[in-house]
Amino acid sequence: MPLWGRRLLVALAIYAAAISCYLWSPYGDFFDDGVLIVLAPLVLGMILGAAARLPNWWPVGWAAFPAGAFLLFGLWGWLDILGIGFLPAPIMIAVPAAGYALVSWLASPGFAWPKVGAGVLALATIVPVFLNA
């Protein structure tokens, strides 16, 4: 299987784990559910990244959590600026998987210029946080 396919399968497994944590969480409050929804899938992403033999799976696993949080805060800022309330839960829960996929793609070899563009776009997601401050 090509590298992009393995990366996609790991991201889909992270998304499936986040959805299952959201649906069947043993906790009742927002903070504990959020920690479970974000941390459990990313630990699973590290394990599956190693099993799928993705390049740089160890630093990708560690960087995926801050990247997911970075994307989530940026998404909340854009939703606030655009006047949109909250997105449906399945879309918001996809953020940890998107953070893992983005970091995994940025850490893989080759295609330097598209990665620079994706990095700039990822940095642009956080602009609304500074605009609302």
Side-chain angles (χ1 to χ4, degrees):
M1 177 175 284
L3 180 61
W4 65 267
R6 291 181 286 161
R7 206 179 294 131
L8 180 64
L9 284 176
V10 171
L12 287 175
I14 291 171
Y15 182 63
I19 288 286
S20 65
C21 287
Y22 172 73
L23 292 176
W24 298 291
S25 173
Y27 303 110
D29 62 18
F30 178 74
F31 179 74
D32 290 334
D33 287 342
V35 169
L36 184 65
I37 287 168
V38 172
L39 286 181
L42 292 179
V43 170
L44 178 67
M46 287 181 75
I47 294 168
L48 291 177
R53 299 180 187 210
L54 293 178
N56 304 321
W57 65 271
W58 182 253
V60 165
W62 282 105
F65 175 69
F70 188 79
L71 290 175
L72 186 62
F73 287 125
L75 180 63
W76 280 340
W78 280 107
L79 291 176
D80 189 33
I81 285 177
L82 295 175
I84 302 171
F86 281 98
L87 291 175
I91 295 173
M92 293 298 282
I93 292 173
V95 173
Y100 184 88
L102 178 68
V103 171
S104 177
W105 180 62
L106 291 175
S108 65
F111 300 113
W113 285 110
K115 290 179 184 180
V116 169
V120 168
L121 285 176
L123 288 174
T125 61
I126 202 73
V127 169
V129 173
F130 296 115
L131 293 177
N132 288 337

